[in-house]
Amino acid sequence: MNTSHLSSPNKLERRLAPLLDLLQKQSVVQSVTHRQQQNRADVIENLLQRQQQAAIQREVDKLKSPDIAHLLEMITSDKRHIIWRLLSHEVAGEVLIELNEAIAESLIEMTLPDTLLPILETLDTDELSDIAELLPQDLLNRAKASLKANERNWLEQTMSFAEGSVGDIMSRDCLIVTETISINEAIELVRSNTELPPQTDKLFIVNNLRHISGVLPLINLLRNPVHSQIEQCMDKDVVTFSPTDQAEEAGQAFERYDLISAPVVDSKGRIIGRLTVESIMDYLRERAENQALAKEGLSADSDLFGPIIDGAKERWPWLCINLITAFIATRSISLFENTIQQLVALATLMPIVASVGGNTGNQTAALVIRGLASKQVHRDNITFIYRKELIIGLMNGLLWGTLLGLFAWLLYQNTMLGLVMMMAVTINLILAAFIGITVPFTLDRLNKDPAMGSSVVLTFVTDSMGFFLFLGLASLVLI
Amino acid sequence: MNTSHLSSPNKLERRLAPLLDLLQKQSVVQSVTHRQQQNRADVIENLLQRQQQAAIQREVDKLKSPDIAHLLEMITSDKRHIIWRLLSHEVAGEVLIELNEAIAESLIEMTLPDTLLPILETLDTDELSDIAELLPQDLLNRAKASLKANERNWLEQTMSFAEGSVGDIMSRDCLIVTETISINEAIELVRSNTELPPQTDKLFIVNNLRHISGVLPLINLLRNPVHSQIEQCMDKDVVTFSPTDQAEEAGQAFERYDLISAPVVDSKGRIIGRLTVESIMDYLRERAENQALAKEGLSADSDLFGPIIDGAKERWPWLCINLITAFIATRSISLFENTIQQLVALATLMPIVASVGGNTGNQTAALVIRGLASKQVHRDNITFIYRKELIIGLMNGLLWGTLLGLFAWLLYQNTMLGLVMMMAVTINLILAAFIGITVPFTLDRLNKDPAMGSSVVLTFVTDSMGFFLFLGLASLVLI
């Protein structure tokens, strides 16, 4: 058997290797050409470069569009442009919608509108709505002009839904039939439909008022008697979404009920779009990445291979907040400079108290953030969680505080210093648990991302209080 | 139209509300009973309790199994047991496989083997393999005994694949037909098959050697002439997986190629299982949660509503590591106790240097971890990333170091102190960028989770070096 048509996606890296090699050489050739511009060897260099281009083109042609998008995400921006320019309109369009937003945006920026327009015209309404917000307004208007009136309306409608809502990620195409036709007629409809929406696993069934009344999985189209009416065979227990639902919650429903597609309906039950597992997966992955980066104050669109200056600037807001909070936190130290002068050991031990608090608080926060995301934590059980985490803070505080106290006592032969250490650690751990719940829970109540910035606020409190408690207790007890 | 059959999953919380209310009362009734055990009112209380039970049962019966699982995840363990005992074998089995592992395990532990066995016997091989590792060995053996020989073999085979591999999450049931039959015959097969595997979107086609040769989406079963041979209609460009592939990479392929199901084949191309978007989504969500918690040293199975002592113990390993690293980091301070005694301002400023370093390092690490997960960062472009991040570190170090230096100068009227601050911040930021790349990249090279523990090592280095650089420079320049 010839298995060459079987593609094993884990071999993607191996398939990309020859192309990456060529790109490596390409840049060498270019830099050589640059140095010897006045030289006779120009012609040969030129030829060599053109040969390279052709070889690159051949390799690119072997790849599917999503693989080209992946390739573009792993190379530097100068090489991205070499590949980008080689793509046909059709392929460039497919690549554009697969790309990470930051990279898509940079490619759009550096491409002339007149080159971009024919690329955009290869996209359907759903695809265009995916990248619409990355396009300059005038270009978007020109691209819209090539759409039919109803498509244009739909595009404007979806663009009006909030980011992260079901309306924002739903697609337009769905297969809708009325409940009064027979299985046979429905099969005929599927057969005659020239372009079926991707990931169609079921038909959406509507009644004579065009309200949703059921769904029929494709497989049941095959398994029911051909003359029976759709109404008798359809599944009436339908999971539907409203365009204003949160995409996050829709994702949980897709997981819970193992959905592949589901209708999006308005308040009257009229179908206005379709949600697919594909867009849900895209959304959930982006969100997961987003949250991990947001915790460190970065946006999900950060381009690891983009310009250095952008990378540096992107860190500024967070760095600035961090500097301010660190500065304020250390102000509590300056209150006790006298105490420190009398017992320098305090300066050595105080960062430990702060660090243990930060660590514990972040653990609690991570648990609460996950609980909030999966809807396990809510208003009714938050007191239970407070009680539990505060008791854990107390227990761990006493246990590890005693241990640290013993260490401090042994190290500096000072019993009172050990006691101060123990008390400061215990109180700071309880405080850390309290803040670790309060910050994400409050952010969630305010409809903000509970992960965003929680670690900054938390570290600020545990640092300030760590220093203040330890030095304050020391100046009361020791000096 | 009666729309009562339409379920909007975002209303789940509202649907659960009456049940949560009942549970709240239930515990009140129970505690009252307990207090007045010797009282005459016992009989009435008992009756009341039985009424409550019946009311709870009615509410539970209204819910689908995945919703019951969700409910169990959001209530405390005593209430979990009340619900669990009310479920039929069939429903209990469905709930068990939907549950978070930690909670499933605790329910299994507290249920008698003889009660559990009939529940396990309602599960099919795929479902049993999902929870097999949570079961005590003897119970698993008893459950296996009720399987057919080929099912038992399959179960043992999948359990032998490593966690996080495709083999670990694949399922057994797939619809396989030979390429020589006609479309009509294939339709007949689908019709006569009494139990079709869930999420079946395509048929897997094999040749006479039982090697995979193509796939046929169900929709094309409808759209091709009924007498044509499968071989002529099938899609020969098949994405296949090997059972030893990483589930993570399979997830990327599912996203990239918008798959719903795909065959898992052995080295010869024989189909040994099927991978569905459902199991991929489950895996990816678990992994994302896992990573967020692993960063804080917690396991994904942490049960927010479990016993307090487990919650406390679970934090120990990390807390212990944190204490040790914090202790070592502050040892560098003790080297300079003399210097601090001469200029106490140093004790106030040194935590800022450490904190800024930790912040920057965590930003770089978060970007690299994402890049590694999406395969954008690899051996060939790591030097580019080092160069870029080190330059960003230098730029931001000079910029913010100068600012901090100015502050220190103004605050303490000491020019040299300002200079020391500037230099220490700059060097620490460069160092932080270096560690922020090196730690996750090295972990990945060693086939470990790049997120795991990266922030501990990082904070350890940036803290130690922050203190050491600042105090060391100060003792050289100032004293």
PDB file of all heavy atoms in Angstrom, chain B residues 277-295:
ATOM      1  N   VAL B 277     -12.871  14.687  19.172  1.00  0.00           N
ATOM      2  CA  VAL B 277     -12.684  16.060  19.621  1.00  0.00           C
ATOM      3  C   VAL B 277     -13.120  16.195  21.081  1.00  0.00           C
ATOM      4  O   VAL B 277     -12.599  17.016  21.831  1.00  0.00           O
ATOM      5  CB  VAL B 277     -13.440  17.047  18.698  1.00  0.00           C
ATOM      6  CG1 VAL B 277     -14.928  16.934  18.871  1.00  0.00           C
ATOM      7  CG2 VAL B 277     -12.978  18.472  18.913  1.00  0.00           C
ATOM      8  N   GLU B 278     -14.061  15.344  21.502  1.00  0.00           N
ATOM      9  CA  GLU B 278     -14.529  15.367  22.878  1.00  0.00           C
ATOM     10  C   GLU B 278     -13.394  15.056  23.865  1.00  0.00           C
ATOM     11  O   GLU B 278     -13.159  15.794  24.810  1.00  0.00           O
ATOM     12  CB  GLU B 278     -15.656  14.319  23.025  1.00  0.00           C
ATOM     13  CG  GLU B 278     -16.203  14.189  24.411  1.00  0.00           C
ATOM     14  CD  GLU B 278     -16.816  12.808  24.643  1.00  0.00           C
ATOM     15  OE1 GLU B 278     -17.180  12.127  23.670  1.00  0.00           O
ATOM     16  OE2 GLU B 278     -16.900  12.407  25.815  1.00  0.00           O
ATOM     17  N   SER B 279     -12.676  13.945  23.577  1.00  0.00           N
ATOM     18  CA  SER B 279     -11.604  13.573  24.507  1.00  0.00           C
ATOM     19  C   SER B 279     -10.457  14.571  24.413  1.00  0.00           C
ATOM     20  O   SER B 279      -9.768  14.852  25.402  1.00  0.00           O
ATOM     21  CB  SER B 279     -11.125  12.150  24.235  1.00  0.00           C
ATOM     22  OG  SER B 279     -10.779  12.000  22.886  1.00  0.00           O
ATOM     23  N   ILE B 280     -10.247  15.137  23.217  1.00  0.00           N
ATOM     24  CA  ILE B 280      -9.209  16.146  23.054  1.00  0.00           C
ATOM     25  C   ILE B 280      -9.541  17.385  23.888  1.00  0.00           C
ATOM     26  O   ILE B 280      -8.694  17.928  24.598  1.00  0.00           O
ATOM     27  CB  ILE B 280      -9.078  16.547  21.563  1.00  0.00           C
ATOM     28  CG1 ILE B 280      -8.459  15.416  20.754  1.00  0.00           C
ATOM     29  CG2 ILE B 280      -8.290  17.828  21.399  1.00  0.00           C
ATOM     30  CD1 ILE B 280      -6.978  15.282  20.882  1.00  0.00           C
ATOM     31  N   MET B 281     -10.799  17.822  23.829  1.00  0.00           N
ATOM     32  CA  MET B 281     -11.191  19.008  24.602  1.00  0.00           C
ATOM     33  C   MET B 281     -11.027  18.764  26.100  1.00  0.00           C
ATOM     34  O   MET B 281     -10.528  19.604  26.829  1.00  0.00           O
ATOM     35  CB  MET B 281     -12.641  19.397  24.312  1.00  0.00           C
ATOM     36  CG  MET B 281     -12.783  20.363  23.174  1.00  0.00           C
ATOM     37  SD  MET B 281     -14.515  20.791  22.917  1.00  0.00           S
ATOM     38  CE  MET B 281     -14.717  22.165  24.040  1.00  0.00           C
ATOM     39  N   ASP B 282     -11.485  17.588  26.545  1.00  0.00           N
ATOM     40  CA  ASP B 282     -11.319  17.234  27.954  1.00  0.00           C
ATOM     41  C   ASP B 282      -9.852  17.312  28.341  1.00  0.00           C
ATOM     42  O   ASP B 282      -9.485  17.901  29.358  1.00  0.00           O
ATOM     43  CB  ASP B 282     -11.800  15.793  28.208  1.00  0.00           C
ATOM     44  CG  ASP B 282     -13.304  15.725  28.355  1.00  0.00           C
ATOM     45  OD1 ASP B 282     -13.928  16.797  28.406  1.00  0.00           O
ATOM     46  OD2 ASP B 282     -13.837  14.614  28.403  1.00  0.00           O
ATOM     47  N   TYR B 283      -9.013  16.707  27.494  1.00  0.00           N
ATOM     48  CA  TYR B 283      -7.589  16.670  27.808  1.00  0.00           C
ATOM     49  C   TYR B 283      -7.001  18.081  27.863  1.00  0.00           C
ATOM     50  O   TYR B 283      -6.265  18.414  28.780  1.00  0.00           O
ATOM     51  CB  TYR B 283      -6.831  15.823  26.779  1.00  0.00           C
ATOM     52  CG  TYR B 283      -5.362  15.830  27.023  1.00  0.00           C
ATOM     53  CD1 TYR B 283      -4.805  15.017  28.010  1.00  0.00           C
ATOM     54  CD2 TYR B 283      -4.511  16.681  26.319  1.00  0.00           C
ATOM     55  CE1 TYR B 283      -3.453  15.051  28.279  1.00  0.00           C
ATOM     56  CE2 TYR B 283      -3.164  16.722  26.585  1.00  0.00           C
ATOM     57  CZ  TYR B 283      -2.636  15.912  27.556  1.00  0.00           C
ATOM     58  OH  TYR B 283      -1.303  15.957  27.836  1.00  0.00           O
ATOM     59  N   LEU B 284      -7.329  18.900  26.872  1.00  0.00           N
ATOM     60  CA  LEU B 284      -6.742  20.246  26.808  1.00  0.00           C
ATOM     61  C   LEU B 284      -7.188  21.111  27.981  1.00  0.00           C
ATOM     62  O   LEU B 284      -6.392  21.861  28.544  1.00  0.00           O
ATOM     63  CB  LEU B 284      -7.101  20.933  25.484  1.00  0.00           C
ATOM     64  CG  LEU B 284      -6.448  20.330  24.244  1.00  0.00           C
ATOM     65  CD1 LEU B 284      -6.857  21.116  23.008  1.00  0.00           C
ATOM     66  CD2 LEU B 284      -4.936  20.301  24.357  1.00  0.00           C
ATOM     67  N   ARG B 285      -8.470  20.999  28.374  1.00  0.00           N
ATOM     68  CA  ARG B 285      -8.928  21.783  29.513  1.00  0.00           C
ATOM     69  C   ARG B 285      -8.198  21.354  30.781  1.00  0.00           C
ATOM     70  O   ARG B 285      -7.696  22.189  31.526  1.00  0.00           O
ATOM     71  CB  ARG B 285     -10.439  21.631  29.708  1.00  0.00           C
ATOM     72  CG  ARG B 285     -10.943  22.520  30.854  1.00  0.00           C
ATOM     73  CD  ARG B 285     -12.350  22.218  31.307  1.00  0.00           C
ATOM     74  NE  ARG B 285     -12.729  20.844  31.312  1.00  0.00           N
ATOM     75  CZ  ARG B 285     -12.331  19.929  32.194  1.00  0.00           C
ATOM     76  NH1 ARG B 285     -11.495  20.258  33.153  1.00  0.00           N
ATOM     77  NH2 ARG B 285     -12.730  18.687  32.101  1.00  0.00           N
ATOM     78  N   GLU B 286      -8.140  20.035  30.981  1.00  0.00           N
ATOM     79  CA  GLU B 286      -7.438  19.545  32.162  1.00  0.00           C
ATOM     80  C   GLU B 286      -5.998  20.024  32.189  1.00  0.00           C
ATOM     81  O   GLU B 286      -5.465  20.405  33.216  1.00  0.00           O
ATOM     82  CB  GLU B 286      -7.441  18.013  32.172  1.00  0.00           C
ATOM     83  CG  GLU B 286      -8.565  17.440  33.007  1.00  0.00           C
ATOM     84  CD  GLU B 286      -8.669  15.933  32.873  1.00  0.00           C
ATOM     85  OE1 GLU B 286      -7.625  15.262  32.794  1.00  0.00           O
ATOM     86  OE2 GLU B 286      -9.800  15.430  32.820  1.00  0.00           O
ATOM     87  N   ARG B 287      -5.368  19.994  31.001  1.00  0.00           N
ATOM     88  CA  ARG B 287      -3.961  20.390  30.942  1.00  0.00           C
ATOM     89  C   ARG B 287      -3.789  21.863  31.266  1.00  0.00           C
ATOM     90  O   ARG B 287      -2.861  22.256  31.968  1.00  0.00           O
ATOM     91  CB  ARG B 287      -3.410  20.108  29.548  1.00  0.00           C
ATOM     92  CG  ARG B 287      -1.998  19.585  29.611  1.00  0.00           C
ATOM     93  CD  ARG B 287      -1.343  19.676  28.269  1.00  0.00           C
ATOM     94  NE  ARG B 287      -0.382  20.743  28.339  1.00  0.00           N
ATOM     95  CZ  ARG B 287       0.921  20.547  28.413  1.00  0.00           C
ATOM     96  NH1 ARG B 287       1.407  19.361  28.402  1.00  0.00           N
ATOM     97  NH2 ARG B 287       1.749  21.557  28.506  1.00  0.00           N
ATOM     98  N   ALA B 288      -4.699  22.696  30.735  1.00  0.00           N
ATOM     99  CA  ALA B 288      -4.602  24.135  30.996  1.00  0.00           C
ATOM    100  C   ALA B 288      -4.752  24.411  32.491  1.00  0.00           C
ATOM    101  O   ALA B 288      -3.979  25.173  33.081  1.00  0.00           O
ATOM    102  CB  ALA B 288      -5.670  24.890  30.198  1.00  0.00           C
ATOM    103  N   GLU B 289      -5.743  23.758  33.109  1.00  0.00           N
ATOM    104  CA  GLU B 289      -5.942  23.932  34.554  1.00  0.00           C
ATOM    105  C   GLU B 289      -4.731  23.440  35.317  1.00  0.00           C
ATOM    106  O   GLU B 289      -4.247  24.073  36.248  1.00  0.00           O
ATOM    107  CB  GLU B 289      -7.139  23.107  35.007  1.00  0.00           C
ATOM    108  CG  GLU B 289      -8.465  23.727  34.655  1.00  0.00           C
ATOM    109  CD  GLU B 289      -9.616  22.888  35.184  1.00  0.00           C
ATOM    110  OE1 GLU B 289      -9.360  21.820  35.767  1.00  0.00           O
ATOM    111  OE2 GLU B 289     -10.765  23.307  34.996  1.00  0.00           O
ATOM    112  N   ASN B 290      -4.288  22.256  34.899  1.00  0.00           N
ATOM    113  CA  ASN B 290      -3.133  21.636  35.513  1.00  0.00           C
ATOM    114  C   ASN B 290      -1.941  22.579  35.539  1.00  0.00           C
ATOM    115  O   ASN B 290      -1.274  22.734  36.550  1.00  0.00           O
ATOM    116  CB  ASN B 290      -2.794  20.407  34.668  1.00  0.00           C
ATOM    117  CG  ASN B 290      -2.108  19.362  35.492  1.00  0.00           C
ATOM    118  OD1 ASN B 290      -1.659  19.666  36.607  1.00  0.00           O
ATOM    119  ND2 ASN B 290      -2.019  18.163  34.993  1.00  0.00           N
ATOM    120  N   GLN B 291      -1.711  23.234  34.369  1.00  0.00           N
ATOM    121  CA  GLN B 291      -0.534  24.078  34.257  1.00  0.00           C
ATOM    122  C   GLN B 291      -0.638  25.299  35.173  1.00  0.00           C
ATOM    123  O   GLN B 291       0.329  25.669  35.825  1.00  0.00           O
ATOM    124  CB  GLN B 291      -0.335  24.501  32.810  1.00  0.00           C
ATOM    125  CG  GLN B 291       1.127  24.648  32.472  1.00  0.00           C
ATOM    126  CD  GLN B 291       1.390  24.741  30.989  1.00  0.00           C
ATOM    127  OE1 GLN B 291       0.663  25.415  30.262  1.00  0.00           O
ATOM    128  NE2 GLN B 291       2.420  24.084  30.524  1.00  0.00           N
ATOM    129  N   ALA B 292      -1.843  25.895  35.230  1.00  0.00           N
ATOM    130  CA  ALA B 292      -2.018  27.070  36.075  1.00  0.00           C
ATOM    131  C   ALA B 292      -1.778  26.703  37.538  1.00  0.00           C
ATOM    132  O   ALA B 292      -1.146  27.448  38.288  1.00  0.00           O
ATOM    133  CB  ALA B 292      -3.422  27.647  35.896  1.00  0.00           C
ATOM    134  N   LEU B 293      -2.256  25.520  37.942  1.00  0.00           N
ATOM    135  CA  LEU B 293      -2.073  25.105  39.330  1.00  0.00           C
ATOM    136  C   LEU B 293      -0.647  24.631  39.576  1.00  0.00           C
ATOM    137  O   LEU B 293      -0.071  24.877  40.643  1.00  0.00           O
ATOM    138  CB  LEU B 293      -3.068  23.991  39.679  1.00  0.00           C
ATOM    139  CG  LEU B 293      -4.540  24.397  39.710  1.00  0.00           C
ATOM    140  CD1 LEU B 293      -5.395  23.201  40.050  1.00  0.00           C
ATOM    141  CD2 LEU B 293      -4.783  25.514  40.713  1.00  0.00           C
ATOM    142  N   ALA B 294      -0.064  23.936  38.576  1.00  0.00           N
ATOM    143  CA  ALA B 294       1.290  23.400  38.745  1.00  0.00           C
ATOM    144  C   ALA B 294       2.286  24.527  38.990  1.00  0.00           C
ATOM    145  O   ALA B 294       3.264  24.359  39.720  1.00  0.00           O
ATOM    146  CB  ALA B 294       1.699  22.596  37.509  1.00  0.00           C
ATOM    147  N   LYS B 295       2.024  25.675  38.367  1.00  0.00           N
ATOM    148  CA  LYS B 295       2.899  26.826  38.564  1.00  0.00           C
ATOM    149  C   LYS B 295       2.978  27.206  40.029  1.00  0.00           C
ATOM    150  O   LYS B 295       3.988  27.714  40.505  1.00  0.00           O
ATOM    151  CB  LYS B 295       2.344  28.017  37.785  1.00  0.00           C
ATOM    152  CG  LYS B 295       3.122  28.327  36.552  1.00  0.00           C
ATOM    153  CD  LYS B 295       2.690  29.678  36.020  1.00  0.00           C
ATOM    154  CE  LYS B 295       3.593  30.116  34.910  1.00  0.00           C
ATOM    155  NZ  LYS B 295       2.991  31.218  34.167  1.00  0.00           N
TER     156      LYS B 295
END
